[in-house]
Amino acid sequence: MSATHPPGQRGDSDGREGDRHARAVWSALAEPGDAVAGALVQACGASASLAWTADAVATGRVDWSRLEETAGELDGALRRRVETAVRRWAPRWRSLDPERDRAAASRCGARLVVPGDPAWPRGLDDLGALAPFALWVRGGPPTAARSVALVGARASTTYGERVTVDLAVELARRGWVVVSGGAYGIDAAAHRGALLGGGMTHVVLAGGVDRAYPVGNASLLEEVVRTGGSLVSEVPPGSTPSRGRFLQRNRLIAAVSHATVVVEAAWRSGAASTAHHAARLLRPVGAVPGPVTSAASAGCHRLLRDGVAVCVTDADEVAELAGTVGADLAPPPRPEVTRATDGLEPPARRVHDALSRRTARDVEQVAARAGATLAEARAMLGLLELEGLARRVAAGWVVTDGHE
Amino acid sequence: MSATHPPGQRGDSDGREGDRHARAVWSALAEPGDAVAGALVQACGASASLAWTADAVATGRVDWSRLEETAGELDGALRRRVETAVRRWAPRWRSLDPERDRAAASRCGARLVVPGDPAWPRGLDDLGALAPFALWVRGGPPTAARSVALVGARASTTYGERVTVDLAVELARRGWVVVSGGAYGIDAAAHRGALLGGGMTHVVLAGGVDRAYPVGNASLLEEVVRTGGSLVSEVPPGSTPSRGRFLQRNRLIAAVSHATVVVEAAWRSGAASTAHHAARLLRPVGAVPGPVTSAASAGCHRLLRDGVAVCVTDADEVAELAGTVGADLAPPPRPEVTRATDGLEPPARRVHDALSRRTARDVEQVAARAGATLAEARAMLGLLELEGLARRVAAGWVVTDGHE
């Protein structure tokens, strides 16, 4: 793109289309998570800030008065950050080609989604200056009334993958949309489980949505698109995923989801970074525990220890974590094998414990053994007899196995 | 014991020996955790409260003026509780036989330990009115400068037992005394691990210390005594363990330990009750996570979810939990496989990521790819070259595998 004809200066630069175009350019110009670019766009709008940048890149000097007219006065430190940012954008300016990006998007069936579009996930706005300028999207809109991110290690175990699939299947069946990063391991298991459960799933990619990355998940990603889910990226089609972009991508996963759950993660891991992003956004964070002997669970246990995450062990607990307080409460403690004596109050239980199956005991012996008064022992024996838990025999009382 | 010659009324009833004798009687008379007995002994002393009780049992009526002289005025509800308690103690009064208990203790090599004795674990005093009256002890003193309870399910898994043994071995090697309940499963693994680690371990029993309970652990319990550890109970030798006593025993495990760690526990379990006792005593509580697919870990996960316990995964973390703040901190994050690029700051890493192994790129291309200024790209390339992570070739720069 020629610097003398800055991409932000088009006839409709102040309208919706101008904003859309400028955001597409910003998505190619600034690296994901570039806070200076984000702040400029927030302060002056995408079009005006792009026009200003075009001028700065072309002339090699920054027009402070024009910038401060809308952005307000900038102190020395801020000015230095802006100057550095302009020098950072300059080398990339020359390789910008919005038409090429648009063509690439059209070839892979991707469209641009910008703030204000119905398909824009509102959760992204919580990122403030770190919000993406735009999203490149394949498939359905990357929004959801109820969404939860299931993320985790690429180097997952059979245990972790099985738990992830189970969680995703159950969540999908209850209408939750599962969000993840499309990577091998836990991410793939999350998407696969959501599809198995008949649900929708969104894949937030670090590179362009035209690149199935990793290649081994290509058919899974196509399946996501076919079933109404979406592939999402903040960089234009054709962009390569880099380590920095993987890390920045994690903030998007956290921001588009109502909660983030880490299923397996090494001590230091990208999934843990997603959890921290979610925590910073005040979104609920869950971690699935695993064997302490498994390195693949060390990151989850670390999140639990640090108080970043809540321990979650099944879909009920994930739904409670991610859901509306009160409306999505996990069911009460699961029923276990119940014993006939379960409902007994402590005094009755003590008297029950004082009885033998074979040796008959009289009331006084029972009272002494139970540490009960004679009256208590008598009353409790009557109660136990009613419940079918004790039986009167010739020589006193014996215990029985419940209703006989 | 004859009610007309109450056991508390001896010549030295006001001295150390009288107190010791009265506490031995109380330990046989009141069920563990009898708060009325505990409050009486706290208010009036063991001897005086026993003499008063002897009188009440003998005459069938309670002498309020004598009691309120030391205990202070009692309201109606309290009076009713005391009256009920006297009726509760009466049936057992007749079967009291301090001489028989003393003889049984002597036969099994047990001795009585009471508050004020050097062997009395000071942590028990935190139980207030629920503190035991005395401890019957076989082996060394049941005290420790640093002690931690490792408790858990009888129905343990191989995973849980292995983790318990590992924890106990490591803790013992560092001088921690391991406390547990002597049961099958996790308890036994804890004691065994402590012995394997060359350490000391205390077994807090629900029944008398003369009864190896469960029988299958008899040789383990003898080994504990032989190695300077102890068997401890608040009921006299000869007493049977009952369900109520098992539950009350758990408060002693929690109280004599600086922290309590649950390794495996079913959703509803005695180990969880020990954890709750510890939490009520404001002692640190830990839970070891496990597979969410294992019912034996459900109680641990519940403790984590409820915020009762902190997640602990190794001996370092248990020591940190139980130890002095600051002095016993777990070591910083364990080192993982380190990459040559680990120490790089974000700008250098972005430039590193922008390089290819085969395709040489010039500074401008690198800057554009990295989203860096030309100056940054140049500086970072120089830095990477110094670190041996990038190499200058004819057509520009390529990445290398670190020092070559």
Side-chain angles (χ1 to χ4, degrees):
Chain A
M1 175 182 283
S2 154
T4 54
H5 183 64
Q9 292 181 349
R10 291 165 37 128
D12 52 357
S13 68
D14 294 319
R16 255 333 260 136
E17 273 317 299
D19 181 70
R20 180 176 299 276
H21 172 74
R23 285 180 174 277
V25 174
W26 272 118
S27 81
L29 177 60
E31 263 304 290
D34 184 328
V36 177
L40 272 186
V41 169
Q42 273 202 321
C44 314
S47 298
S49 60
L50 191 63
W52 181 88
T53 301
D55 199 50
V57 168
T59 64
R61 48 168 218 85
V62 295
D63 184 345
W64 294 117
S65 63
R66 186 170 154 205
L67 182 61
E68 291 182 335
E69 219 169 84
T70 41
E73 207 179 327
L74 305 173
D75 67 16
L78 267 176
R79 284 188 168 206
R80 272 190 299 281
R81 284 189 68 192
V82 172
E83 283 172 333
T84 308
V86 169
R87 285 202 303 275
R88 190 163 66 220
W89 300 328
R92 211 178 257 184
W93 189 269
R94 274 168 286 279
S95 56
L96 286 178
D97 189 346
E99 286 310 323
R100 180 198 55 203
D101 294 346
R102 228 188 313 272
S106 148
R107 268 195 306 278
C108 71
R111 64 193 189 287
L112 191 74
V113 172
V114 299
D117 287 349
W120 181 257
R122 302 290 298 273
L124 292 174
D125 299 336
D126 294 343
L127 288 167
L130 294 176
F133 306 105
L135 294 181
W136 300 86
V137 178
R138 282 187 64 201
T143 52
R146 310 210 297 174
S147 62
V148 60
L150 295 183
V151 296
R154 282 186 302 268
S156 54
T157 68
T158 312
Y159 162 73
E161 287 164 29
R162 194 179 310 161
V163 170
T164 307
V165 168
D166 286 353
L167 285 178
V169 165
E170 273 306 309
L171 288 165
R173 284 192 182 143
R174 295 162 199 211
W176 287 86
V177 169
V178 173
V179 179
S180 197
Y184 290 133
I186 300 301
D187 285 17
H191 296 305
R192 214 178 301 122
L195 296 176
L196 277 173
M200 239 169 41
T201 182
H202 299 317
V203 186
V204 185
L205 294 164
V209 292
D210 58 335
R211 318 196 149 200
Y213 186 90
V215 179
N217 283 345
S219 67
L220 174 63
L221 299 189
E222 289 310 316
E223 175 80 4
V224 166
V225 172
R226 236 189 344 265
T227 52
S230 69
L231 309 186
V232 182
S233 176
E234 62 179 313
V235 292
S239 305
T240 51
S242 64
R243 180 140 46 145
R245 286 176 182 171
F246 277 112
L247 286 172
Q248 288 299 334
R249 179 271 312 266
N250 294 337
R251 84 192 195 289
L252 302 190
I253 292 178
V256 302
S257 309
H258 294 113
T260 293
V261 171
V262 183
V263 184
E264 276 192 324
W267 181 262
R268 188 180 56 174
S269 71
S273 98
T274 310
H276 283 279
H277 279 300
R280 245 174 271 131
L281 292 167
L282 305 180
R283 306 283 161 81
V285 180
V288 174
V292 298
T293 46
S294 165
S297 287
C300 293
H301 298 151
R302 186 185 192 178
L303 289 169
L304 293 175
R305 271 179 71 70
D306 292 348
V308 175
V310 168
C311 176
V312 289
T313 66
D314 61 21
D316 285 332
E317 293 174 357
V318 172
E320 176 178 318
L321 180 81
T324 316
V325 173
D328 296 290
L329 275 180
R334 39 211 115 171
E336 277 187 2
V337 185
T338 52
R339 286 170 285 216
T341 52
D342 271 355
L344 295 182
E345 294 296 312
R349 180 169 290 187
R350 276 207 308 279
V351 167
H352 186 266
D353 285 347
L355 294 174
S356 155
R357 197 171 301 276
R358 281 161 301 187
T359 315
R361 292 184 178 130
D362 64 24
V363 175
E364 192 154 321
Q365 286 170 320
V366 169
R369 284 189 164 257
T373 69
L374 285 172
E376 273 176 351
R378 235 177 259 118
M380 295 304 134
L381 284 168
L383 208 73
L384 292 170
E385 189 177 27
L386 274 177
E387 301 266 352
L389 294 167
R391 197 155 45 88
R392 209 188 293 259
V393 293
W397 291 82
V398 292
V399 75
T400 66
D401 274 332
H403 292 284
E404 288 172 299
Chain B
M1 175 183 284
S2 155
T4 54
H5 184 62
Q9 292 182 349
R10 290 165 35 129
D12 53 357
S13 66
D14 293 319
R16 255 335 259 135
E17 273 316 300
D19 180 70
R20 180 175 300 275
H21 172 75
R23 287 181 172 276
V25 174
W26 272 117
S27 81
L29 177 60
E31 263 304 289
D34 184 328
V36 176
L40 273 186
V41 168
Q42 272 202 321
C44 315
S47 299
S49 59
L50 190 64
W52 180 89
T53 301
D55 200 48
V57 168
T59 62
R61 47 168 220 84
V62 296
D63 184 345
W64 295 116
S65 63
R66 184 170 156 207
L67 182 61
E68 291 182 334
E69 217 169 87
T70 42
E73 206 179 327
L74 305 174
D75 66 18
L78 268 175
R79 283 189 170 205
R80 272 191 300 281
R81 285 189 67 190
V82 171
E83 282 171 333
T84 307
V86 169
R87 285 203 302 275
R88 191 163 65 221
W89 301 328
R92 210 176 258 182
W93 188 270
R94 274 168 287 280
S95 57
L96 286 178
D97 189 345
E99 286 309 325
R100 179 200 55 204
D101 295 345
R102 228 190 314 270
S106 148
R107 270 196 306 278
C108 71
R111 65 193 188 287
L112 191 74
V113 172
V114 300
D117 287 349
W120 180 257
R122 302 290 298 272
L124 291 174
D125 299 335
D126 294 342
L127 288 167
L130 295 175
F133 307 105
L135 294 180
W136 300 86
V137 178
R138 283 188 62 202
T143 53
R146 310 209 297 174
S147 62
V148 60
L150 295 183
V151 297
R154 281 186 301 268
S156 53
T157 68
T158 311
Y159 162 73
E161 286 164 31
R162 193 179 309 162
V163 170
T164 308
V165 168
D166 285 353
L167 285 178
V169 164
E170 274 305 309
L171 288 165
R173 283 192 182 142
R174 295 161 199 213
W176 288 85
V177 169
V178 172
V179 179
S180 198
Y184 290 134
I186 300 301
D187 285 18
H191 297 304
R192 215 177 301 122
L195 296 176
L196 278 172
M200 239 168 43
T201 183
H202 299 317
V203 186
V204 185
L205 295 164
V209 293
D210 58 334
R211 320 197 148 199
Y213 186 91
V215 179
N217 283 346
S219 67
L220 173 62
L221 300 189
E222 289 309 318
E223 174 79 4
V224 167
V225 172
R226 238 191 340 269
T227 53
S230 69
L231 308 186
V232 181
S233 175
E234 62 179 314
V235 292
S239 306
T240 52
S242 64
R243 180 142 45 147
R245 286 175 182 172
F246 277 113
L247 285 173
Q248 289 298 333
R249 180 272 311 265
N250 294 338
R251 82 192 197 289
L252 302 190
I253 292 179
V256 302
S257 309
H258 294 112
T260 293
V261 171
V262 183
V263 184
E264 276 192 323
W267 182 260
R268 189 180 57 175
S269 71
S273 98
T274 309
H276 283 279
H277 279 301
R280 243 173 272 130
L281 292 167
L282 304 180
R283 305 282 161 83
V285 180
V288 174
V292 297
T293 46
S294 164
S297 286
C300 292
H301 298 151
R302 187 185 193 179
L303 290 169
L304 293 175
R305 270 180 72 70
D306 293 347
V308 176
V310 168
C311 176
V312 290
T313 66
D314 61 20
D316 285 331
E317 293 174 355
V318 172
E320 177 179 317
L321 180 82
T324 315
V325 173
D328 295 289
L329 275 179
R334 39 210 114 171
E336 278 188 2
V337 184
T338 54
R339 286 169 287 217
T341 53
D342 271 355
L344 296 181
E345 293 296 313
R349 179 169 292 187
R350 275 205 310 277
V351 166
H352 186 266
D353 286 346
L355 293 175
S356 155
R357 197 171 300 278
R358 280 162 303 186
T359 316
R361 292 183 178 132
D362 64 25
V363 175
E364 191 155 321
Q365 287 170 321
V366 169
R369 284 187 165 259
T373 69
L374 285 172
E376 272 176 352
R378 236 177 257 119
M380 294 305 134
L381 284 168
L383 207 73
L384 292 170
E385 189 176 28
L386 275 177
E387 300 267 352
L389 295 168
R391 198 155 45 89
R392 209 188 294 256
V393 293
W397 291 82
V398 291
V399 75
T400 65
D401 275 332
H403 292 285
E404 291 172 296

